[in-house]
Every structure is written in C-alpha cells, then in structure tokens.
Amino acid sequence: MKLLPTSRREDETPPEADLPPGYRPIKLMAHGRRLDTWDAWDEDRDVRCIVKVLRADRRDDPRVREAVLREGQITASLAHPHLVRGYGWFEEPPSLVLETLRGATLSAVIEDEQIGVADAAELGLQLSSALAYLHRHDWLHLDVKPENVIVDHGKAVLIDLSLAGRPGEGRKGAGTRGYLAPEQARGRDLSPATDVWGLGITLIESLVGDIPFGDEATWDTKRRWPLVH
C-alpha cells in the first residue's frame, strides 16, 4: 500500500492526533496549511481509513470549517466507482473520513513516464464519468489535476473535494495554477465546463508531460502558446 509522504518540514513538531472517537491514528500523512491528514484505523469497520482533520489553529475560520464539512457531506452522500468514498464527517473536531486507496497519484505515474493514447482515452472516460455524476448532483470539483487522481491497475479515482462548490460564483483564483479555467481565475460563471477544462489539461499533461499554458496564476497575464494544437 503506497501512502503519500507527509508535507511536514523535518524541523517542525508533528501535531498530536486529534481524531474523532472510534479512529486510532497510525501515521501522519500530511500536515497542511488547513488540514492534518492521518492514516488511521476505523474501530467500527475494522479497516484502515484516511481521516482529514481541520488544524486547531484554523477552527475559528468559518469558511475553512464549512469547506471541511462540505467535503465530508459530499463524499459520504455520493457513491461512484471513480470518486473517492467517504464514510462520514464530524462537527467536533471538524473532520471527515475517507476510504484508503491503493495505488499512486497520476502525477507520480506520469513523472516517471507519460501514458499512451489508449490509456489516456480510458482515463478520460473514467474521470468524465465521475465528473458527470458530480455535475448531475449540482456539484463542481474545481481542482481536477493529476495530483488529485489515484490510479491502480487501470482504475482511476478522483479525490480531494476540498474546493468543491456549486455552479455560479466562486472565490477568485481558487484552485491550482496551470489548471484554472479562465472563469475560475475570475471567480464567476463557474459551470461543468470549468471541470472539463481541468480534465483536458490533466489529459494533455498525461500525454506530453507538461501543462499547455504554463504555470499562470490568472488569465490577466499574457498567455503562453500551448504545447499541442
């Protein structure tokens, strides 16, 4: 089982496990700006799981708190074979519980070697199926990128719905540089097409090993010529 490495600096004191009742910490996977992500044991289901807990120093921020609970509600209420499954969420501490996935991120895979056309087509079918399912339930993912896709023996699973939201208005520039649709960079007119843009960038990167428009922060700056036409 391949676990993502922790993002904590070597000189940083690791946080104490503050998990909801019934979940036993195994290993800190990531200590991010908003969340601590734990490899944990679900004592009720008798399985390993992932627990994402809002950091103690961010719990007074209502926007961040709402985002954590929203992700938990979406993943626990929607079920699709190419979308990460949620087991539940907790108000205190603000947290959500996800299934443990085998495999590696798509970003790690294509860092070693780009994928072929047939594999990219299959990848596109699987991810577009998951996105269409989200869209039919009036949700947008808003952060489709190789780092948020887990692949294992031909199966792709879309993860990390921490930025998910409804169509319409959004926070300007929320997402990842290089994968933002123009309307996402502006924070308005968000629609299913916004996720299709991120999927397109992801498939291009999977094929050629680079993103087509460069690492642009916003679309107010000069566009770079795409790598493919």
Side-chain angles (χ1 to χ4, degrees), residues 179-194:
Y179 302 90
L180 295 177
E183 68 272 17
Q184 192 174 359
R186 294 191 296 265
R188 60 179 185 271
D189 301 322
L190 303 179
S191 73
T194 307

Side-chain angles (χ1 to χ4, degrees), residues 131-184:
L131 288 171
Y133 177 72
L134 279 174
H135 298 162
R136 282 193 291 272
H137 288 81
D138 205 32
W139 288 109
L140 305 178
H141 187 281
L142 299 179
D143 201 18
V144 181
K145 58 183 179 180
E147 188 178 345
N148 284 340
V149 177
I150 300 292
V151 292
D152 181 42
H153 292 87
K155 181 180 179 180
V157 177
L158 186 62
I159 65 170
D160 195 350
L161 281 80
S162 59
L163 294 181
R166 301 293 190 183
E169 302 297 308
R171 184 162 54 89
K172 182 177 179 181
T176 303
R177 293 183 181 185
Y179 302 90
L180 295 177
E183 68 272 17
Q184 192 174 359

Side-chain angles (χ1 to χ4, degrees), residues 100-111:
T100 295
L101 295 170
R102 297 179 181 273
T105 63
L106 178 61
S107 59
V109 171
I110 61 180
E111 185 176 347

